[in-house]
Amino acid sequence: MSANGINRALKLQFGLINFESRYLTAEAFGFKVNALGVSMKKKQIWTLEQDEQDGQVVFLRSHLGRYLASDKDGKMTCGAEKQDPDCRFLIVPQSDGRWALQSEPYLRYFGGSADYLSCFAQVIGEQDLWAVHLALHPQASLLSVARKRYAHLSASDGEISVDSNIPWGVDSLITLVYLDGKYSLKTCDSRFLSYDGKLMKENSNTTSFTLELKSGKLAFKDCVGKYLTPVGPTGTLRSGRCSKPGKEELFDLEESHPQVVFQAANKRFVSVKQGLNSLSANQDVETDMETFQMEIDKESNRSMFRTNGGTYWALVTHGEIQSTATEVEVNTMFDIEWRGQSLALKASNGKYVCTKKNGQLSAVSDTVGVDELFVMKLINRPMLILFGENGFVCHHKNSNTLNANRSVYDIFSLIFNDGAYNIKSVNGKFWYISSGGFVCSDGEKPEDFFLEFLEPGRVAIKCSDGKYLRGDQGGTLMGNGATVDASSLWEF
């Protein structure tokens, strides 16, 4: 959980790019560091940790769980298992958004090229500057630290407003687009935020922001050196007057949980609209009252469903399902059985949830029949970005296949189709599985895929023949996974 948000703040993980466009890399052999990485893979990802007493001091932890350190002679290593004094650094942000990293005990600057890295410079030179490339999944909720409100697209006003108590619905999804060291904020309808608060169809200098970190929070600096801030009663997101970020200019990125609607066997949507805490499949339109946030328990991988009022579905007496729980407990957890276009929900009493004749939900069934089946639709990922164990999914440069090991991503369209999903490429063509098991991106007609939410923040994607999408050893996206393992789970 973040200090003042409702969801977990994302860990600040990133790659550091030097003046030769090479990534800082932590090698397993000898715990050495170099600047030889040409793209951001596992070895190039660093986690920022702050000193508990002094918020200005940071530690950089490698993918091996070891800390970057400099001794008094400027020699760099990355073998420290704990936050030793030599691991203490200060971030000195530059006007172009790059960082200089200064050893706190020795006050020297860290830089260099290839295998020749040191922390001995007394003044900052070009070789001591590092660009920051965030390594987290780029789709998130944006929380204003000062206002404790979330950003969302306000389509009627043509702006991003920062006035939501909770990040609800597709309008609250923000996509961070990284290009040439700058970041743009993209709305769910594929427009970019300009520094003056307007939403633009094209990405340009006015929609590009430099990312700065202050006390573990993010600030977005525009092309003239001012910072994004919520303005006015609706919190219109635009550049303010400040040329230094204060609390009003700081933001948290929080993970964006899947939000879903359920259609029962009676073809109506499950809703909390009728009040009295009961859940009934009795509505014909999808609103916030028919939308539920799906949260997956880390220990058991069972699912909880949160209403937009902040309560959870819960099993109560006589098998009834009500939206009464304010805390996560055993009776708020459900097992999901994935059955292609539909699913069944098993409550903590071991019974399946069924839809009664009056539409009410009750966990009283021992077996799965028509009344125990639901169609679940994901509503807050119209733009799909997949990140697997080896990197992002991206079009292959010279063929119709897809890579699954890239440090850059392509944005695909996810189209719901009666319990299944079709995936559309940037070129308007559809994904399909070739006879050789390759995922191809130039189909004329859509092919069905099925989403299975199996772990917190990760989805498995099943093909129509029952196999799963997976990244193979060579970094190609295949449709031939027999079972779900690390290669077939995707952050989304």
Side-chain angles (χ1 to χ4, degrees), residues 64-229:
L64 300 164
R66 304 296 182 102
Y67 292 93
L68 189 69
S70 162
D71 69 12
K72 65 180 190 309
D73 300 318
K75 187 183 173 197
M76 300 301 301
T77 55
C78 194
E81 293 184 48
K82 58 184 198 302
Q83 297 174 348
D84 294 334
D86 281 358
C87 304
R88 297 166 68 87
F89 288 90
L90 302 169
I91 295 171
V92 185
Q94 305 299 296
S95 59
D96 64 359
R98 289 186 293 175
W99 291 356
L101 289 168
Q102 186 179 32
S103 163
E104 193 235 16
Y106 309 116
L107 301 178
R108 302 295 179 102
Y109 295 98
F110 167 52
S113 68
D115 282 313
Y116 304 102
L117 301 179
S118 67
C119 191
F120 210 64
Q122 291 179 293
V123 294
I124 300 169
E126 181 66 13
Q127 72 278 4
D128 307 307
L129 294 176
W130 301 88
V132 183
H133 184 179
L134 285 184
L136 45 80
H137 193 282
Q139 290 178 305
S141 304
L142 190 67
L143 173 74
S144 163
V145 171
R147 296 203 178 197
K148 300 183 183 176
R149 295 289 184 273
Y150 290 90
H152 66 97
L153 170 67
S154 178
S156 56
D157 300 321
E159 65 178 36
I160 294 178
S161 303
V162 187
D163 61 354
S164 286
N165 290 326
I166 50 172
W168 207 255
V170 67
D171 290 346
S172 294
L173 185 70
I174 301 289
T175 301
L176 287 179
V177 179
Y178 179 77
L179 187 66
D180 297 331
K182 300 282 177 79
Y183 285 86
S184 304
L185 298 177
K186 194 175 193 181
T187 57
C188 63
D189 63 356
S190 294
R191 289 187 289 172
F192 296 94
L193 178 70
S194 176
Y195 72 95
D196 58 4
K198 295 194 173 84
L199 296 174
M200 318 299 284
K201 289 200 169 146
E202 299 296 326
N203 201 353
S204 69
N205 192 37
T206 67
T207 61
S208 298
F209 299 88
T210 300
L211 203 60
E212 290 189 8
L213 286 183
K214 186 178 176 187
S215 306
K217 310 297 181 191
L218 300 175
F220 297 90
K221 185 164 73 171
D222 70 15
C223 54
V224 294
K226 307 295 185 188
Y227 290 84
L228 286 182
T229 186

Side-chain angles (χ1 to χ4, degrees), residues 32 46 155 366 383 448 458 474:
K32 290 180 178 168
W46 299 83
D366 293 315
M383 298 183 291
D448 284 349
R458 285 179 169 79

Side-chain angles (χ1 to χ4, degrees), residues 21 94 161-162 190 226 251 254 299 304 397 404 438 452:
S21 299
Q94 305 299 296
S161 303
V162 187
S190 294
K226 307 295 185 188
F251 297 88
E254 289 186 359
E299 308 301 316
M304 292 85 71
K397 281 179 181 152
F438 292 93
E452 298 182 357

